[in-house]
Amino acid sequence: MYDQESACFDDFQASLQERLVQEQDDFSQAQIPNCDNNHNFSMEEQIQIHPDQNNQLISTQAEAAAVMEMEIRKQLDLEFQGTNNDNSNTTASHLIQEMVHNSNWHEMCSFNGDLNQYQYHPNITDIQNTIPDTPYPTTPDLLNMFPLPICSPSFLLNNPDSSAHKSSSFLASLGFLGELNPAVDVSFMASSSVVYDPLLPFNHPPQPPLLRELFHSLPHQGGGYALGIKNGSLFGGTVDEREHVNGVLYQDDNGGRHFENGVFEFSAGEIDCIMKISGKETKHFTNTEKHRRVLFSDKYQSLRKLIPNPTKNDRASIVGDAIDYINELKRTVNELKVLTEKKRCSKERLKRPKTEEKGRISMEGNESNSLGEMEQPYNNSSLRSSWLHRKSKNTEVDVRIVDDEVTVKLVQQKRINCLLYVSKVLDDLQLDLHHVAGGLIGDCYSFLFNSKICEGSIVYASAIANKLIEVVDKQYAAVPQTNSY
Amino acid sequence: MNKATIITDAIAYIEDLKKCVEDLSDQLLQMDQETCVKGENMKHGETSNTEREMKNWGITQPEVEVIHVDGGRLWIKMIFEKKKRGGLTKVIEAMAMLGFDLIDTSITTSKGAVLVTTFLEVIHGGTFPNAAQIKQFLFKVVRNV
């Protein structure tokens, strides 16, 4: 693998040299946006990096090539970082310095008189990785030094199918330098073909759309997130850019929150093992985690609001109440459907000749004669039944309807005699009271009402329950709490 | 189906069901408004039957009993015939107007005959009830039911 890489690196270097030869004058103006603002980064000073110019287009291939080179260096360094929390930029700078120092970079630099700016400080202090300070005879050796499956863009161009395991993720990130091939493999674990277009401005205005495209094209949002993170580190030149990238990530991650936790964590793990570039990236990660949790709890709260009798505020009881409420709503819907069906049948029935009608009515009228009711055509089709239970602060109402009988259980917790009001309400609802039982039990009033629905009434369970609770609560509010005993 | 989608789906389903309930109840209301006129024919048939039943049982006229139990408690028993639809409510209303606290009550209807058994307690500091007066009062009420 490394041989291939080194071979490609050779090619890359050659192409780079060509480009350098072509465009010497603008080389000093090369945009190296991935150089961060680390003050320790002496190279930055030497190269006269202008963060403000990051948004300028790179007009030459040489500039882009140089940037690519820088990217690769950065990537290498980032790989080396591992779980190192130190500011990678320092190491990156040193690493790049080391690489440059040891490589024949100077050879490339010599093409341009202005390239002397690129003679980096030999002040290689603490390089945290074990890069032997050997001269860089050939590219293969240098690459062999670093156990990194880094590939250069030209490598991508030449061998799109043989990218290394890990490098595929880097490839994709490198691809942000140029136009992203929509054929980028979404899994990040397979080879991906990224077309490197050196002419394309690799600066950040085009990147967010590319990022978004990539996100949208990915089934694993977590993977995209990983990509973004890497990209953030890759282009962590200026603080602004990083924030911009992170902002993009954040926006896109909004869409990702719905994805499997597993996916998210997978990508998180991958991110963590590959790079902890700086505190900024990890903080961003915890921010999205927190954001995800906040969104989650918001959903639970909105579910709770839909439920009429929420009990406790913990998630389990919210879900339990939601289940009960959904079942209740389903029962109500069924009940209403049966009612409308009955109503429609009765309407048709009423259109028949009147004599026949009278006979039926008299039979219906006899409350005790259930047989008469059985003869009604519509009764045979469906037995209406529903049940619901409602609670308010002081009152519990349980309404059960079977066919045309309504049973209401009422528990009133505040010693307010609601018998009369309830009876009135039931009358208003066209319910014929047949049985009432109940009384004072301790401090509660408890009643059981048995009533019959009058013929033709369209009352249904939830209407009864709601009305009852409303009335009783009104009474409670109206009566002063001076039942002193 | 992860947790987030379950919650989201639940929210959507609840709202959907609520909408269904509203639509159906509106529909039902509309249908009811069209047919409400025809429902009034029913009451006439009821009364004739119940009278027959009462005769079968030997209940000729309403019965009211009011008895004092020790302290300020009343025990009321009523048997009458329920004719109209809102009859029971009227009785309950009457009992409430007596000004007593309801301890417990039992109202049973069977084939048009109503048995009311109520236990009332005098409100603290209220006047001591006159059983005879109460009996008369209730008798009147029951007759008109």
Side-chain angles (χ1 to χ4, degrees), chain A residues 365-380:
Chain A
N366 194 343
E367 297 142 356
S368 58
N369 190 355
S370 57
L371 279 175
E373 284 161 323
M374 292 270 277
E375 288 171 30
Q376 304 309 320
Y378 56 84
N379 252 353
N380 297 332

Side-chain angles (χ1 to χ4, degrees), chain A residues 25-46:
Chain A
D25 294 334
D26 296 331
F27 204 41
S28 60
Q29 297 290 322
Q31 301 297 322
I32 308 179
N34 60 333
C35 292
D36 62 349
N37 290 332
N38 186 7
H39 61 279
N40 293 329
F41 196 175
S42 56
M43 179 165 72
E44 183 178 345
E45 296 161 6
Q46 295 226 332

Side-chain angles (χ1 to χ4, degrees), chain B residues 66-133:
Chain B
V66 179
I67 298 173
H68 269 304
V69 184
D70 74 332
R73 294 187 184 166
L74 281 177
W75 182 75
I76 298 175
K77 176 180 128 178
M78 289 186 272
I79 295 178
F80 57 93
E81 175 199 330
K82 184 154 124 22
K83 292 168 195 161
K84 293 181 211 164
R85 213 175 68 193
L88 274 185
T89 310
K90 289 210 179 99
V91 171
I92 295 170
E93 199 174 358
M95 289 199 300
M97 283 195 323
L98 290 175
F100 293 103
D101 250 1
L102 186 79
I103 295 178
D104 74 63
T105 181
S106 173
I107 302 175
T108 318
T109 309
S110 179
K111 302 196 180 184
V114 181
L115 169 66
V116 179
T117 310
T118 318
F119 207 68
L120 297 174
E121 186 166 31
V122 179
I123 296 175
H124 200 71
T127 56
F128 199 77
N130 187 338
Q133 280 177 342

Side-chain angles (χ1 to χ4, degrees), chain A residues 294-307 312-315 318, chain B residues 7 11:
Chain A
V294 163
L295 286 165
F296 216 42
S297 64
D298 282 347
K299 277 191 198 156
Y300 273 100
Q301 286 307 314
S302 61
L303 183 60
R304 186 165 188 263
K305 280 178 201 153
L306 288 172
I307 300 172
K312 297 183 194 169
N313 208 7
D314 65 305
R315 285 183 180 183
I318 288 174
Chain B
I7 301 288
I11 293 175

Side-chain angles (χ1 to χ4, degrees), chain B residues 25-88:
Chain B
S25 59
D26 286 344
Q27 198 184 4
L28 209 54
L29 206 63
Q30 269 185 357
M31 291 167 77
D32 187 45
Q33 282 170 0
E34 295 165 15
T35 61
C36 66
V37 181
K38 292 156 189 165
E40 292 172 1
N41 296 332
M42 278 167 255
K43 290 178 192 171
H44 302 301
E46 291 175 16
T47 51
S48 52
N49 273 333
T50 50
E51 277 170 10
R52 235 186 305 132
E53 295 284 341
M54 300 293 268
K55 275 187 189 158
N56 287 342
W57 291 355
I59 303 171
T60 50
Q61 59 171 357
E63 223 181 280
V64 177
E65 273 187 49
V66 179
I67 298 173
H68 269 304
V69 184
D70 74 332
R73 294 187 184 166
L74 281 177
W75 182 75
I76 298 175
K77 176 180 128 178
M78 289 186 272
I79 295 178
F80 57 93
E81 175 199 330
K82 184 154 124 22
K83 292 168 195 161
K84 293 181 211 164
R85 213 175 68 193
L88 274 185

